[in-house]
Amino acid sequence: MNDFPTLNTARLLLNETTTDDAQAVFELFSDERVTEYYDLEVFDSIKQALDLIENDAKKTLDNRMLRWAVREKTSEGNIGNYIGGCGINRFEPERHVAVIGYEFCRAYWGKGYATEAITSVIGFLFSNACPSKVNRIEAYTMMGNLASESLLLKLGFKAEGVLREHSYWKGRYHDLTLFSLLKKDHITQAEPG
């Protein structure tokens, strides 16, 4: 991918995460509440943030993922604070699937920012601007992550079931709930009615 796509919403700008964001990314992932349901250990050095940013950039160049920095717009419309990240953790081009993920700084929880950002990402994924054909968006939530489940259901995702001991991190197996949104369902939801 040559030009990183920028997405705009009423309150947010979604653009590329760069090494200039390393401190903000470190602060995000050093919060135990943010990483409670995440497959990463709590960060304890800025190098971990730099490594994550650089690894994501390499995968983006190979069209394997596409993750945005989520930035709050100021009242003047300028770019404000980095408040989180979201996007495609991986493309599965042979199945026309994109697996999404998201994480937001705790100070921005419960204010509709995740809904706004992910709605924009969904629109991008089902558009011709997306670098990979997508018919199905998947999201996985760890059992107990009720806020994430609520967000996905609000956005029209369907819970398909529990994948027992599907993943292993932080020294143990985890059950994950699989959610999906199909392009045809999203188009039907979006039509005025």
Side-chain angles (χ1 to χ4, degrees):
M1 174 177 304
N2 295 333
D3 295 324
F4 195 95
T6 298
L7 306 178
N8 272 285
T9 71
R11 298 181 296 167
L12 303 172
L13 175 73
L14 282 66
N15 65 3
E16 189 171 11
T17 308
T18 70
T19 53
D20 291 343
D21 298 308
Q23 183 62 40
V25 171
F26 169 71
E27 289 171 11
L28 174 70
F29 286 114
S30 63
D31 184 334
E32 290 180 358
R33 292 278 309 282
V34 170
T35 60
E36 180 178 2
Y37 299 110
Y38 215 87
D39 61 349
L40 291 175
E41 296 287 345
V42 174
F43 282 7
D44 58 16
S45 81
I46 194 130
K47 183 178 182 323
Q48 291 168 291
L50 286 165
D51 289 346
L52 179 69
I53 293 166
E54 289 169 1
N55 287 334
D56 285 358
K58 288 176 190 168
K59 291 177 185 174
T60 298
L61 285 173
D62 294 339
N63 284 334
R64 291 186 288 151
M65 79 176 335
L66 183 57
R67 301 268 304 168
W68 285 270
V70 180
R71 304 179 199 281
E72 186 179 33
K73 292 179 183 174
T74 65
S75 55
E76 299 82 34
N78 297 323
I79 299 172
N81 295 331
Y82 172 98
I83 67 168
C86 69
I88 301 96
N89 292 346
R90 73 178 180 274
F91 284 112
E92 297 181 6
E94 66 285 352
R95 296 195 304 129
H96 301 163
V97 168
V99 178
I100 64 166
Y102 40 85
E103 59 283 329
F104 287 82
C105 299
R106 200 173 353 155
Y108 296 90
W109 290 2
K111 298 179 179 176
Y113 289 110
T115 301
E116 198 171 320
I118 301 305
T119 297
S120 181
V121 169
I122 290 167
F124 175 83
L125 284 171
F126 288 145
S127 76
N128 292 332
C130 186
S132 184
K133 181 177 180 181
V134 176
N135 180 62
R136 174 183 165 95
I137 302 172
E138 293 180 351
Y140 298 81
T141 63
M142 196 170 124
M143 299 301 285
N145 191 349
L146 301 180
S148 189
E149 291 180 5
S150 175
L151 169 68
L152 293 167
L153 292 170
K154 180 169 43 171
L155 293 174
F157 283 74
K158 306 288 185 224
E160 294 191 347
V162 176
L163 305 171
R164 298 182 315 133
E165 296 188 1
H166 182 267
S167 296
Y168 184 85
W169 64 75
K170 298 180 183 173
R172 63 189 190 94
Y173 294 101
H174 297 278
D175 295 345
L176 302 181
T177 303
L178 170 61
F179 289 84
S180 70
L181 178 64
L182 302 180
K183 185 174 187 176
K184 65 182 181 183
D185 295 338
H186 176 68
I187 291 169
T188 303
Q189 292 169 3
E191 289 175 352

